[in-house]
Amino acid sequence: MRHFTNVKDMGDLHVALQEALEIKKDRYKYVELGKHKTLLMVFFNSSLRTRLSTQKAAMNLGMNVIVLDVNQGAWKLETERGVIMDGDKSEHLLEAVPVMGSYCDIIGVRSFAHFENREDDYTEKILNQFIQYSGRPVFSMEAATGHPLQAFADLITIEEHKETKRPKVVLTWAPHPKALPQAVPNSFADWMNEADVDFVITHPEGYELDPKFVRGAKVEYDQKKAFEGADFIYAKNWACPGVTRPEDYGKILSKDMSWTVDAEHMSWTNNAQFMHCLPVRRNMIVSDDVIESPRSLVIPEAANREISATVVLKRILEEIG
Ligand code: CP
């Protein structure tokens, strides 16, 4: 693997899961692999889990780590070519990215959707500039339209906790006070479509995810019907993806609190286990009692971020030798 931006970069998911479970048993097994190799983690947006788990993963592999918070102490970066740079942006990404590449062996990038231009977000303009100009392997630490490290950790968590061979997994929209990107639900759909699960997506009308991520998944607008027989409930908010009405891209169309996952919602399921990528707004997305219940997987799910990142970095290190 040279770059890691979506599920296709991972290849056979059964093989990836076996590798993840092997690493989980002995996370320092490949500690020599990253000796004298440097990971640069570039954050355009905030993070708790990604920052800590990816750094820990690099340490598991014996790597050195540099972290750059672009918005805290670095020069403000221009991303558009052809702009007369007479404003507050002192440096262009086209110089900054190859300079960053000169100090490291692998680059992880976190850059969320801006919601200004759907095409810029959905063509992953920032992430692809790192791939094009850094001269280094690049992996997504959550980009505009995908969060594959999270989706891989989610898959590992489902594999570890499933109680039937082919569980029913439901991705449900839930309300939130701010407009959030579609990266997590897009990637979750992308990975569940490749996994050995019965996958259903439920959301209010207008929140249709991009067809390239939904693919053949069943979409059920009635949340109660979707929850019936579910083994895993994966809750997440996302702003309007602009699929049916491009002019609504990035807007909040609903804050309908009847979609908040509470004990009554969970009673519709097959005693489902609850999942969320975190951070989560309690009593908007999920009630206190559901997230604190013994059927909540949010903490082991976050812990598996270390494992998914270790597998990805290991594979990139094996590629670059
Ligand atoms: N789930 C996740 O990516 O968390 P952070 O935003 O804290 O990194």
Side-chain angles (χ1 to χ4, degrees):
M1 180 193 295
R2 179 153 178 92
H3 304 293
F4 178 68
T5 63
N6 65 54
V7 68
K8 288 182 182 56
D9 297 321
M10 186 52 73
D12 186 325
L13 291 189
H14 289 106
V15 175
L17 277 171
Q18 289 317 308
E19 202 171 327
L21 297 177
E22 180 209 48
I23 280 174
K24 196 159 180 177
K25 276 192 205 130
D26 180 5
R27 56 197 76 197
Y28 300 106
K29 184 170 177 183
Y30 301 98
V31 70
E32 294 299 319
L33 198 57
K35 194 173 175 187
H36 298 154
K37 292 280 194 290
T38 299
L39 168 65
L40 171 62
M41 299 164 65
V42 181
F43 287 93
F44 289 87
N45 304 96
S46 305
S47 168
L48 186 155
R49 279 143 291 273
T50 304
R51 175 184 295 257
L52 297 179
S53 62
T54 311
Q55 192 158 349
K56 175 64 166 63
M59 288 156 66
N60 292 347
L61 296 162
M63 298 185 78
N64 303 309
V65 182
I66 309 172
V67 181
L68 177 67
D69 288 297
V70 173
N71 297 320
Q72 288 172 17
W75 302 112
K76 265 194 143 180
L77 295 178
E78 177 58 63
T79 57
E80 296 297 319
R81 198 166 169 278
V83 168
I84 297 170
M85 289 174 58
D86 61 354
D88 63 339
K89 293 174 179 166
S90 308
E91 177 153 25
H92 204 288
L93 203 72
L94 292 175
E95 286 80 54
V97 167
V99 168
M100 292 181 208
S102 72
Y103 302 138
C104 65
D105 301 282
I106 301 174
I107 304 183
V109 181
R110 166 160 284 204
S111 176
F112 292 171
H114 291 107
F115 287 150
E116 284 161 10
N117 178 322
R118 189 180 193 279
E119 196 189 328
D120 283 357
D121 289 340
Y122 270 74
T123 55
E124 291 291 3
K125 201 172 167 189
I126 302 289
L127 186 66
N128 281 322
Q129 283 182 322
F130 274 86
I131 290 173
Q132 195 173 352
Y133 299 116
S134 70
R136 299 293 177 210
V138 171
F139 66 97
S140 167
M141 298 195 301
E142 187 173 343
T145 66
H147 195 357
L149 282 175
Q150 179 65 52
F152 186 19
D154 297 333
L155 178 67
I156 297 165
T157 309
I158 289 170
E159 180 68 18
E160 289 177 321
H161 291 270
K162 69 183 183 185
E163 292 158 349
T164 57
K165 188 168 169 1
R166 188 177 164 82
K168 178 175 176 181
V169 177
V170 178
L171 167 63
T172 182
W173 179 93
H176 195 277
K178 290 184 172 174
L180 296 186
Q182 295 100 41
V184 169
N186 283 345
S187 281
F188 189 71
D190 217 14
W191 287 66
M192 288 303 110
N193 279 321
E194 298 283 331
D196 193 14
V197 300
D198 173 16
F199 181 50
V200 177
I201 305 171
T202 185
H203 53 71
E205 288 193 36
Y207 279 98
E208 289 76 14
L209 294 169
D210 193 287
K212 81 175 178 187
F213 299 106
V214 175
R215 294 192 258 153
K218 181 175 162 75
V219 177
E220 170 59 69
Y221 293 106
D222 182 331
Q223 193 189 27
K224 187 172 184 184
K225 267 194 201 158
F227 274 40
E228 281 167 9
D231 299 297
F232 293 91
I233 296 296
Y234 194 101
K236 185 73 185 82
N237 172 267
W238 61 91
C240 176
V243 169
T244 49
R245 283 171 46 92
E247 62 272 30
D248 285 344
Y249 176 58
K251 287 186 184 163
I252 296 174
L253 305 179
S254 169
K255 290 185 186 172
D256 183 351
M257 299 288 280
S258 74
W259 283 74
T260 301
V261 178
D262 61 13
E264 188 194 344
H265 287 70
M266 295 305 279
S267 75
W268 303 335
T269 70
N270 181 32
N271 191 26
Q273 299 181 82
F274 177 81
M275 299 179 73
H276 187 280
C277 62
L278 304 182
V280 71
R281 300 253 184 167
R282 281 175 174 229
N283 304 309
M284 288 291 302
I285 302 281
V286 57
S287 62
D288 289 323
D289 52 349
V290 169
I291 197 168
E292 290 170 7
S293 88
R295 302 296 280 171
S296 171
L297 296 177
V298 296
I299 305 303
E301 186 183 351
N304 276 333
R305 290 292 306 277
E306 177 189 341
I307 306 304
S308 64
T310 306
V311 173
V312 168
L313 285 172
K314 168 184 170 283
R315 288 196 178 188
I316 295 173
L317 286 167
E318 286 168 345
E319 171 81 19
I320 63 180

